[in-house]
Amino acid sequence: QQGRRAGLREMFTGIVECTAPVSSASDHSGNRRLAVNVTDQAGRQPWSDVGLGDSVAVDGTCLTVVELGSCPGGTELAFDVVPETLTKTTLGGLHVGDSVNLERSLSVGDVFGGHYVTGHVDGVGEVRAKRPEGGQVLFEINAPPPLIEQMLVKGSIAVDGISLTLVDVDRSGSWFSFAAIPHTLAVTSLGRRRPGSHVNLEADAFGKWALQTLGRIVRDGSRDEQLRRLLSAAGWGRETRVDNL
């Protein structure tokens, strides 16, 4: 059986459909096989419609369904996690009974509710603080410095696959913050995160592309040439003269 959904493979929005418990975790052919039990009522479509080969974000990590089974009231989905993913994400620390965030890849015509998420985790962060502020909860997350450099205040970040808006970015302290409303805390794993918890992080893809392009421009050529390249990338015509700006 092949995937039956007309999907945009490896494209997510960070709007978690549901959480589900890990039903098994075992070594399998050099990989780690993880299985989760998800009810058919969860999400935008019945999970019984999921097919082999479909992409699912598990705590923000894009995985491929390699086996299907049944469980009471729903479907069991199994994924093979390669060693590289186990070491670069939190998936290697999952145990039976742990709850994970799930989102299927977008289908053609789906509403784009969050921001563009690839499911390719950039690194692991650690919750440094969690405190109520009014009707929301503010989280502070320690993150690797190279990842902090890709973040902007009011920009987007995916935390365990959840699309969130950055509140503060402290580059000297290497941490960032975001606020979570009660609904997000209730329908995702964030409500169970505490100081010391580890989370998967994916910076905004468009920001990464822009940062890489600007870094290449800065490394090459004179200032005028750098500006010409930037203007060209922005769509300005060849007739634009730097000395006329």
Side-chain angles (χ1 to χ4, degrees):
Q1 180 186 17
Q2 297 297 314
R4 290 168 290 177
R5 305 174 67 242
L8 303 176
R9 188 171 177 83
E10 295 189 8
M11 184 173 179
F12 307 92
T13 70
I15 303 301
V16 172
E17 292 187 66
C18 66
T19 60
V22 174
S23 56
S24 68
S26 60
D27 294 329
H28 182 82
S29 300
N31 301 321
R32 187 77 167 167
R33 177 158 292 189
L34 293 176
V36 298
N37 288 347
V38 57
T39 61
D40 287 337
Q41 290 74 31
R44 56 181 178 262
Q45 295 177 356
W47 284 83
S48 56
D49 287 349
V50 172
L52 294 177
D54 283 352
S55 296
V56 177
V58 179
D59 273 352
T61 308
C62 181
L63 299 177
T64 300
V65 176
V66 297
E67 189 175 339
L68 292 165
S70 60
C71 64
T75 302
E76 183 178 68
L77 310 177
F79 312 89
D80 282 340
V81 189
V82 299
E84 173 76 3
T85 302
L86 293 172
T87 59
K88 297 296 178 63
T89 73
T90 61
L91 299 189
L94 289 176
H95 300 91
V96 173
D98 288 342
S99 185
V100 294
N101 297 322
L102 299 179
E103 181 191 358
R104 284 167 285 193
S105 58
L106 285 173
S107 289
V108 175
D110 281 350
V111 175
F112 199 100
H115 73 281
Y116 178 56
V117 178
T118 66
H120 300 157
V121 173
D122 292 310
V124 174
E126 180 180 337
V127 179
R128 58 176 265 160
K130 176 183 178 181
R131 58 180 179 273
E133 287 196 357
Q136 60 189 9
V137 174
L138 187 72
F139 286 80
E140 294 179 0
I141 309 290
N142 290 323
L147 188 49
I148 290 289
E149 288 301 318
Q150 299 177 26
M151 300 181 192
L152 292 174
V153 173
K154 305 304 180 185
S156 297
I157 184 74
V159 178
D160 278 344
I162 308 162
S163 177
L164 297 159
T165 301
L166 292 156
V167 174
D168 286 313
V169 178
D170 188 318
R171 303 192 191 286
S172 61
S174 198
W175 60 270
F176 68 91
S177 65
F178 63 86
I181 62 175
H183 174 76
T184 301
L185 295 172
V187 301
T188 72
S189 62
L190 274 182
R192 294 181 291 277
R193 298 292 182 251
R194 299 289 183 268
S197 297
H198 291 95
V199 292
N200 292 323
L201 303 176
E202 182 188 333
D204 180 36
F206 296 116
K208 286 188 283 189
W209 295 335
L211 185 63
Q212 183 183 59
T213 300
L214 289 173
R216 186 166 57 250
I217 291 172
V218 169
R219 287 192 300 269
D220 301 331
S222 66
R223 178 174 297 180
D224 285 355
E225 181 60 23
Q226 293 168 22
L227 185 53
R228 288 190 185 95
R229 294 183 185 186
L230 183 59
L231 291 172
S232 176
W236 285 57
R238 292 185 177 181
E239 70 279 8
T240 304
R241 292 179 53 83
V242 172
D243 53 9
N244 287 337
L245 296 179

